[in-house]
Amino acid sequence: MSVEASHPSSRASFVIAIICPLSLEAQVAIPLFDTVYDRTVYEKYGPVRNDPNHYTLGRIGRYDVVLAHMGGCGKAEASSVASHIKQSYPDIELALLIGICGGVPYRANVGPTQPRRDVFLGDVIVSNAIIQYDLGKKLPHRFVCKDTLESNLGRASQQIRSFIRTLKSRHEEFSKDHRE
């Protein structure tokens, strides 16, 4: 990491957000930055008035990135952080939640054809959808999501869907190389 002379030209320069619920996750994400901007940049482009979030500002490759340090875990906290990020950095196009998967579900009752697949620290999970599990009907031993348009979150943009397909194809290629 370094501090370089060229700084973002405005808040609109920040197009990627990384959200970290725990300090451990931020400690892992910050070394990914090629540059962490100094205090003068933070004072100029830090949170706007009434934004309670604290951020680390920097650059990864050619992108100005804002890393949000959440004050706690949970859906309400994440929703608040995301809302405030958009106030301070309205041109965010991609937000990544970096987490240790404390809430990742798994199938406990699997049969011989569907082995249980645990998630481990270090695994990368890329999702093409978000399902608010607390909005569905809870039935004994089963979960059914609501199916009305108003109950579901919007579809990702074409740019994000295309990027996810690229990641999937690279993953399949990587997995194939390591099986041989």
Side-chain angles (χ1 to χ4, degrees):
M1 287 183 291
S2 65
V3 177
E4 63 180 35
S6 69
H7 296 312
S9 57
S10 70
R11 290 178 184 285
S13 298
F14 294 91
V15 294
I16 297 175
I18 298 175
I19 302 170
C20 295
L22 302 174
S23 59
L24 169 67
E25 296 151 353
Q27 290 171 10
V28 171
I30 291 172
L32 299 173
F33 285 51
D34 297 316
T35 301
V36 173
Y37 293 131
D38 62 18
R39 187 151 202 60
T40 58
V41 173
Y42 190 81
E43 289 169 359
K44 189 172 184 180
Y45 299 120
V48 296
R49 188 175 185 194
N50 296 325
D51 178 351
N53 294 338
H54 184 78
Y55 302 105
T56 295
L57 305 179
R59 178 176 284 273
I60 298 176
R62 62 186 175 115
Y63 297 100
D64 287 312
V65 178
V66 55
L67 184 146
H69 301 266
M70 285 178 53
C73 296
K75 293 177 295 209
E77 185 79 22
S79 176
S80 174
V81 168
S83 175
H84 287 103
I85 286 175
K86 287 300 276 183
Q87 287 178 6
S88 292
Y89 306 97
D91 291 333
I92 293 293
E93 295 176 11
L94 175 66
L96 304 169
L97 175 64
I98 306 295
I100 58 172
C101 302
V104 173
Y106 62 88
R107 290 186 58 182
N109 299 326
V110 293
T113 60
Q114 294 180 322
R116 178 175 159 170
R117 301 201 65 194
D118 291 323
V119 176
F120 297 99
L121 185 61
D123 285 352
V124 175
I125 300 169
V126 178
S127 175
N128 59 359
I130 298 173
I131 300 171
Q132 283 187 263
Y133 64 88
D134 60 338
L135 290 180
K137 282 199 255 177
K138 204 170 189 177
L139 301 174
H141 309 294
R142 200 172 98 172
F143 174 81
V144 178
C145 293
K146 289 186 175 180
D147 58 5
T148 65
L149 186 59
E150 295 84 20
S151 300
N152 293 295
L153 300 171
R155 183 177 180 191
S157 71
Q158 182 176 356
Q159 183 179 15
I160 298 299
R161 293 191 320 267
S162 175
F163 177 69
I164 289 172
R165 291 248 174 154
T166 302
L167 290 176
K168 281 183 178 181
S169 65
R170 289 182 183 164
H171 170 71
E172 290 168 6
E173 181 179 309
F174 178 77
S175 296
K176 178 183 168 192
D177 290 345
H178 284 79
R179 281 183 286 204
E180 297 173 350

